[in-house]
Amino acid sequence: KDEIEHQLRTLVTLKIDKIGVAFQDNEFGKLMMPVVEAAAKQLGATLVASAPLAVDGSTSAQAVGVIAQARPMAVLLIAVGPSVVGFVKAAKAGLNVPIYTLSVAASAVPALGADARGLAMTQIVPFPWRQVHPMARDFNREAAAADVPVSYSSYGGYLAARFLIEVLRRTASNITADNIFRTTQGIRNFDLGGTQLN
């Protein structure tokens, strides 16, 4: 939700307010569409078209065609995996506007290769290569020792594991599902790689 709001706020600030939406045709995409619609209404953006994308990306050309007919100024791509690859490649041929997507789409970037150029993506994980924060230094050291590539995805998993360890440490005397939930909800100002988590 926050990523979509930030993207739309940025676009509206840049006077890019006629937006097309391509969304993955599964529970994830369908769950996110009302979020996109509410944020667009609140921020003053107009959703000029929306089109579902098959999870395997096979309907990408059709989705690009539907959105292109509405002449958007930009496209929000609410998808992960092969549908991201299919849509971005189809858009290069049939839709000449910027594409904005979510951090969960980062896993598709290697498969896109050079076609990823120009794709705008929000990122919720701190920059893993800048080892200013002790947690980033720990991660880079441990990733090197385990021969794990440094990436946003691997750092995000590492940060999630560190948070889980902290929750378990705080509930160590009485670990139950309810206590883990309460502890998680009660954490304030926990420094997670330079980001304060509440």
Side-chain angles (χ1 to χ4, degrees):
K1 178 179 181 272
D2 290 345
E3 290 183 68
I4 289 169
E5 288 175 359
H6 284 290
Q7 284 182 344
L8 285 171
R9 185 173 290 110
T10 298
L11 290 170
V12 169
T13 299
L14 296 171
K15 307 292 187 217
I16 300 172
D17 57 359
K18 292 178 179 60
I19 312 295
V21 182
F23 64 96
Q24 200 157 24
D25 194 11
N26 63 5
E27 289 306 311
F28 168 67
K30 291 172 186 174
L31 180 69
M32 295 309 293
M33 276 307 296
V35 173
V36 172
E37 291 163 354
K41 183 177 181 180
Q42 176 190 354
L43 296 167
T46 302
L47 301 182
V48 295
S50 65
L53 283 169
V55 173
D56 65 1
S58 61
T59 59
S60 296
Q62 296 94 311
V64 165
V66 167
I67 293 171
Q69 285 181 348
R71 301 177 60 106
M73 299 168 76
V75 172
L76 283 182
L77 177 56
I78 311 298
V80 297
S83 58
V84 173
V85 176
F87 185 84
V88 171
K89 287 181 181 260
K92 294 279 182 183
L95 187 63
N96 191 26
V97 298
I99 300 172
Y100 292 77
T101 192
L102 307 174
S103 60
V104 294
S107 61
V109 170
L112 279 167
D115 286 330
R117 216 179 260 354
L119 180 64
M121 186 176 300
T122 54
Q123 189 49 258
I124 59 170
V125 176
F127 193 69
W129 296 275
R130 187 168 174 234
Q131 298 181 43
V132 173
H133 193 275
M135 207 170 284
R137 287 193 293 275
D138 291 349
F139 166 70
N140 276 269
R141 185 180 59 253
E142 292 173 27
D147 199 26
V148 171
V150 173
S151 68
Y152 283 110
S153 295
S154 58
Y155 192 35
Y158 177 82
L159 293 174
R162 290 283 296 257
F163 178 72
L164 177 59
I165 290 166
E166 179 63 18
V167 168
L168 292 173
R169 186 189 67 73
R170 291 183 186 196
T171 56
S173 63
N174 188 14
I175 295 179
T176 66
D178 286 342
N179 286 343
I180 288 172
F181 179 78
R182 270 194 292 281
T183 300
T184 301
Q185 293 297 312
I187 288 183
R188 297 289 177 267
N189 299 318
F190 178 69
D191 190 353
L192 192 65
T195 300
Q196 294 301 307
L197 188 66
N198 291 301

